[in-house]
Amino acid sequence: PIIQAGPPQSGGPLIQTLGGMEREVNMSRLRVESFSISLDGFGAGPDQSLENPLGVGGPGLHKWAFTTDTFQKMLFGASGAKNVDDRFASRGFQNIGAAIMGRNMFGPVRGPWLDDSWKGWWGDNPPYHVPVYVLTHHQRPPLVMEGGTTFHFVTGGIHEALEQARHAAGNKDIRLSGGVSTVRQYLLARLVDELHIAISPVLLGSGESLFGGINLPALGYQCVEHVPSEHATHVILRKG
């Protein structure tokens, strides 16, 4: 018989015994990738709206990514810069089997879904190409898009979304796409295994703070890599 020897830590190995011998079963990790913040710690600017989904000053957070080969090919089918920024952008799509995002990242609609007309910001072929689990308080049928992306709307909270994403991802990792509130919820629940934060050389003054009030060392995170580029400083935080 297979007996679980103890509950796994998030993203860590699941220890099982098989005929008296222990073995490790790899579990997918929950990763935040290419998440841009300002020098003063904001992941989105103030006054977000349909016309300005990233808030006032928010687009400036992502200048480092727009010119990379990864994002140019993904968004426009064109070539871009192959540099430090591109190395970090491309790693965010490696070994990803599912994604999770908050409803506000999926779209500007608030409250009950009036209909199924809103299909995200990304057109008919979103850049995910994996199942995406959208946190919401209101039920909606799955939305099948081109290119392998299906949006599943999860009403049971962050743990249910993670459980469904792990099942879909198999041995691959899960990308926690955002936005700020969603990342904070998973951080405070000690569920995020690794974060790639791109600190852009801009000041927003106000908006949505990513780490405000969160004691990262107390949650077990440490900086394992930091690499500057012309447009950002890339920081990798990993839970020990």
Side-chain angles (χ1 to χ4, degrees):
I2 296 177
I3 303 173
Q4 183 175 329
Q9 299 297 317
S10 171
L14 175 67
I15 307 299
Q16 293 183 329
T17 59
L18 179 61
M21 298 180 63
E22 288 191 351
R23 69 187 183 96
E24 289 188 359
V25 180
N26 290 326
M27 292 185 66
S28 56
R29 298 180 303 156
L30 183 62
R31 294 158 40 195
V32 174
E33 295 286 349
S34 297
F35 202 98
S36 302
I37 65 172
S38 63
L39 287 171
D40 44 354
F42 296 104
D47 302 324
Q48 297 175 57
S49 64
L50 178 61
E51 295 75 22
N52 200 5
L54 300 177
V56 176
L61 300 176
H62 306 279
K63 286 184 178 180
W64 70 270
F66 290 151
T67 59
T68 63
D69 191 61
T70 296
F71 278 87
Q72 285 292 311
K73 285 181 177 177
M74 181 177 65
L75 297 175
F76 308 112
S79 297
K82 296 181 179 180
N83 51 19
V84 170
D85 294 325
D86 186 60
R87 177 166 69 86
F88 280 94
S90 64
R91 77 186 288 277
F93 294 95
Q94 296 170 5
N95 197 43
I96 297 296
I100 297 172
M101 68 174 60
R103 176 170 173 174
N104 290 0
M105 183 171 177
F106 177 74
V109 181
R110 303 293 183 264
W113 303 99
L114 300 179
D115 53 44
D116 294 338
S117 60
W118 180 262
K119 298 182 179 181
W121 304 99
W122 307 278
D124 294 331
N125 190 359
Y128 299 100
H129 311 299
V130 295
V132 179
Y133 296 87
V134 181
L135 294 163
T136 177
H137 295 296
H138 303 279
Q139 293 184 349
R140 178 175 170 174
L143 175 62
V144 180
M145 307 294 286
E146 297 177 7
T149 300
T150 298
F151 293 105
H152 300 271
F153 300 90
V154 181
T155 58
I158 63 172
H159 292 88
E160 180 179 320
L162 182 57
E163 181 180 354
Q164 292 186 27
R166 285 201 194 281
H167 180 75
N171 291 328
K172 292 187 176 182
D173 292 340
I174 301 157
R175 180 165 177 162
L176 182 57
S177 298
V180 173
S181 175
T182 297
V183 173
R184 287 176 60 87
Q185 289 180 64
Y186 277 98
L187 274 174
L188 289 169
R190 300 174 182 256
L191 294 171
V192 179
D193 296 291
E194 184 174 288
L195 303 93
H196 162 222
I197 305 298
I199 305 172
S200 297
V202 299
L203 293 169
L204 294 183
S206 63
E208 291 189 76
S209 174
L210 180 60
F211 295 129
I214 296 179
N215 188 334
L216 290 173
L219 293 175
Y221 294 96
Q222 58 183 338
C223 178
V224 297
E225 186 178 3
H226 57 96
V227 180
S229 75
E230 182 180 353
H231 303 291
T233 298
H234 299 277
V235 175
I236 304 297
L237 305 176
R238 188 173 297 149
K239 188 167 63 175

